[in-house]
Amino acid sequence: MTRRPCAIYAVGVICASLLVVGIGLVVGQVFRTLMHERLKREIVLVEGSRVFESWKTPPPPVYMEYFFFNVTNVDEFLQGEKPEVKQVGPYTYREYRYKDNVSMVENGTKVSAYNTKSFVFLRDKSVGDPTVDNITTVNIPSWAVMNKLKDSFWKASLVSMWMSSMGSGFFTTRTVDELLWGYEDPLLARVSTSNPDVEKVFGLMYKKNGSNDGEFVYHTGQQNYMDYGRVETWKGESKVNFWTSDQSNSINGSDGSAFHPLLKKDERLYIFTPDLCRSIYMEFEKEVEVKGIPAYRFTPPRSVLASKDENPANEGFCVSPKECLGTGLLKVSPCRKGAPVVASFPHFHLGDPKYAAAIAGLSPQAEHHQTFLDLNPTTGVIVRANKRAQVNILMSRISGFPKTRTLNETVFPVMFLNESVTIDDASAARVHKLLLIATLVSNFPLIIVGMGAIMLTVFIILLYQARKQKTSTEEDTSYSPVSDKEKDDSQNGTYIGLSPKAEPQA
């Protein structure tokens, strides 16, 4: 056997081996499975893991924007006309957040922490000075007190006289700084003299600068990667007690700061948010890209805040059978000391159109008012997010307060916030590197298949050349006339040249 046939057979064997092994690995997804198992082991909330430090102190900058609804026709509204508002904002703050008092519990299977937040005003990202700009809006302290006394006619009548004497109306004009961080309200100060539990100071973000929402206990994800970052307890409880059903009171999902790796489009992501006193869920909407990083966008569907008629599972969020609001609204008074506070998406996005139509100046648009999370599906890392929520006050006629007789029930918008974050360049570079490694490892079998394909091409070329050479050799060794005489001999059809016969020697 010559060297060339040996080489051809060797190439054939290598080609077949690479193709069989490569295709087997592709079909079995061996390397992809190995990479996924590696991610599951590394993305856990334990000391020394790839994500632990960034979980405790997230590097991307977070911004909190506040938009207020300035009421422009208070007197006309009190006389029964449609209210008119003008959106003013944003007033932007840099939000610094970190996990405080982090400790491993239950033999290292869970981790406890406090989510501390602080805010610093950013003038260059704001429309004005919050200490100077005035906003006319609903007088929340007055409505909170009135709502608290709605079942006691005599107490309500007494407080009504107090309000008249001290000039506490249904609306108030305050600076943005006062509305956010607090001011001493005269009505609350008067009520606190007989009820020490009542705070004299009111502010939408009062006592929330440099504070936390209480202790959270999270799953580390070591035992099950799907539990990574999932909230086990809040303030020592595995469920809340604000609502009327076990399903509504359950604490589901993460706190919105961590999500498990290897996300799928068909899964529903749950998030527990103390601001709403409940868990909400988000579903896949579309694929996006942020700084070159592929991501899945998850958004809360309409069913999250749908009415009980539209989504019977939401019946447990009704404060009472008579206090079941329509689609797009959530009355959070149970966790707001009884104040008639209603949460919604900005401009009543995803809500019943009648709520936005009742207020002149509102125009819900998904682009500006939608809450969303953009998550890299491989790592679960948040690459961009916008949490948007609106604070409203339920205004209605209240027994004992004669001035409310002219009012129709109205869900009145006060302000909405937009908490946003986009992954920073350094973190994005690390994610890119990790995704590159994951892609190379996962696709290594394809590289083997590609090498097999190349060897197959070489094998075919060698076979072709060998075949061609063999044909050429056969043509060279086949019969051919030794002279032109066979053509010229008319007597013999063939002229055969023979060597002369040797004479035998004597």
Side-chain angles (χ1 to χ4, degrees):
M1 184 178 290
T2 63
R3 291 182 178 180
R4 180 175 291 274
C6 288
I8 293 174
Y9 289 129
V11 170
V13 170
I14 294 172
C15 165
S17 300
L18 288 174
L19 287 175
V20 170
V21 172
I23 293 173
L25 292 174
V26 170
V27 173
Q29 296 189 335
V30 177
F31 280 81
R32 182 183 179 89
T33 301
L34 289 175
M35 190 64 212
H36 286 181
E37 291 301 319
R38 180 70 180 272
L39 286 172
K40 293 174 186 178
R41 289 195 303 270
E42 291 197 4
I43 302 180
V44 291
L45 297 179
V46 296
E47 289 284 357
S49 72
R50 182 185 293 271
V51 297
F52 195 61
E53 289 303 318
S54 60
W55 174 76
K56 290 195 296 184
T57 308
V62 180
Y63 298 99
M64 181 71 87
E65 297 176 318
Y66 297 99
F67 298 82
F68 287 85
F69 295 103
N70 188 53
V71 187
T72 59
N73 66 336
V74 171
D75 294 335
E76 291 81 357
F77 169 67
L78 293 177
Q79 293 173 7
E81 293 188 16
K82 183 177 181 178
E84 297 179 4
V85 299
K86 180 180 179 181
Q87 180 178 299
V88 181
Y91 294 91
T92 307
Y93 293 77
R94 170 72 188 272
E95 179 181 331
Y96 295 89
R97 49 168 64 193
Y98 60 92
K99 301 287 193 301
D100 199 12
N101 294 332
V102 179
S103 59
M104 305 304 297
V105 296
E106 297 187 26
N107 296 322
T109 60
K110 297 179 179 66
V111 56
S112 68
Y114 292 80
N115 297 324
T116 302
K117 299 179 183 180
S118 59
F119 303 88
V120 177
F121 179 66
L122 301 177
R123 181 63 184 86
D124 60 321
K125 292 181 178 292
S126 304
V127 297
D129 186 345
T131 62
V132 175
D133 295 354
N134 286 318
I135 300 293
T136 298
T137 186
V138 180
N139 190 342
I140 298 179
S142 293
W143 282 98
V145 172
M146 289 190 298
N147 195 70
K148 193 76 172 177
L149 302 175
K150 63 182 179 181
D151 296 326
S152 177
F153 178 81
W154 300 110
K155 288 183 179 179
S157 299
L158 177 62
V159 170
S160 178
M161 290 188 289
W162 287 356
M163 291 175 62
S164 298
S165 63
M166 62 183 64
S168 292
F170 298 154
F171 291 86
T172 185
T173 300
R174 297 282 178 176
T175 66
V176 170
D177 194 74
E178 288 177 320
L179 291 172
L180 284 176
W181 308 111
Y183 61 93
E184 184 171 317
D185 181 79
L187 180 59
L188 293 180
R190 181 69 178 270
V191 173
S192 66
T193 57
S194 57
N195 188 349
D197 293 334
V198 175
E199 287 270 9
K200 297 180 182 180
V201 177
F202 168 78
L204 294 165
M205 295 292 291
Y206 179 55
K207 291 185 177 181
K208 291 187 178 182
N209 197 349
S211 62
N212 60 74
D213 294 320
E215 183 190 33
F216 282 83
V217 174
Y218 306 90
H219 286 265
T220 62
Q222 282 183 300
Q223 296 176 317
N224 184 348
Y225 82 99
M226 294 288 288
D227 286 337
Y228 169 73
R230 182 169 67 84
V231 177
E232 173 69 11
T233 63
W234 176 54
K235 293 183 177 181
E237 301 293 337
S238 59
K239 63 179 182 179
V240 297
N241 58 2
F242 303 121
W243 312 108
T244 59
S245 72
D246 290 338
Q247 180 180 349
S248 299
N249 282 321
S250 60
I251 295 177
N252 299 317
S254 72
D255 65 350
S257 64
F259 297 90
H260 67 79
L262 309 178
L263 292 164
K264 298 178 181 178
K265 293 180 180 180
D266 61 352
E267 67 179 294
R268 177 178 280 183
L269 299 181
Y270 283 88
I271 300 172
F272 174 71
T273 168
D275 293 334
L276 295 178
C277 317
R278 61 164 287 189
S279 297
I280 65 169
Y281 53 85
M282 308 179 82
E283 296 176 347
F284 174 81
E285 181 183 278
K286 62 182 178 180
E287 293 186 22
V288 296
E289 187 176 284
V290 181
K291 294 187 177 181
I293 301 173
Y296 290 169
R297 172 163 292 183
F298 287 85
T299 61
R302 177 183 170 93
S303 59
V304 170
L305 296 181
S307 67
K308 68 174 183 178
D309 297 326
E310 192 172 322
N311 182 7
N314 286 344
E315 186 172 0
F317 294 111
C318 297
V319 178
S320 69
K322 295 182 179 180
E323 296 179 274
C324 230
L325 302 180
T327 294
L329 305 179
L330 175 69
K331 191 172 184 180
V332 293
S333 55
C335 61
R336 291 293 179 267
K337 299 181 178 179
V341 179
V342 175
S344 71
F345 294 116
H347 289 240
F348 302 111
H349 172 62
L350 295 182
D352 191 316
K354 69 180 182 180
Y355 297 118
I359 311 289
L362 298 186
S363 178
Q365 301 173 27
E367 179 184 358
H368 301 295
H369 306 137
Q370 181 186 53
T371 291
F372 66 84
L373 278 170
D374 292 341
L375 306 174
N376 175 251
T378 302
T379 62
V381 170
I382 301 172
V383 293
R384 182 171 55 197
N386 281 76
K387 184 181 82 173
R388 294 161 170 152
Q390 181 169 298
V391 176
N392 312 277
I393 295 296
L394 182 61
M395 304 177 70
S396 60
R397 300 171 186 174
I398 300 177
S399 177
F401 295 92
K403 293 182 179 180
T404 64
R405 292 174 182 171
T406 60
L407 299 180
N408 296 316
E409 183 172 283
T410 305
V411 181
F412 212 102
V414 176
M415 69 93 166
F416 77 85
L417 58 86
N418 176 24
E419 188 177 30
S420 62
V421 62
T422 301
I423 191 170
D424 60 291
D425 292 339
S427 298
R430 287 193 293 271
V431 173
H432 273 296
K433 183 178 179 180
L434 180 59
L435 292 178
L436 178 61
I437 295 172
T439 301
L440 290 176
V441 173
S442 299
N443 293 329
F444 185 70
L446 294 178
I447 298 175
I448 296 177
V449 173
M451 293 173 61
I454 294 173
M455 296 300 291
L456 177 62
T457 303
V458 172
F459 180 64
I460 293 172
I461 293 173
L462 289 175
L463 281 178
Y464 174 76
Q465 290 180 343
R467 177 83 175 181
K468 184 178 181 182
Q469 185 178 17
K470 182 179 179 181
T471 303
S472 176
T473 303
E474 289 176 349
E475 289 177 353
D476 291 343
T477 58
S478 63
Y479 161 76
S480 62
V482 296
S483 75
D484 292 336
K485 290 183 178 181
E486 68 172 302
K487 298 179 181 179
D488 299 334
D489 187 3
S490 59
Q491 297 179 353
N492 297 307
T494 303
Y495 177 84
I496 301 175
L498 299 173
S499 298
K501 186 176 180 181
E503 295 291 335
Q505 297 183 2

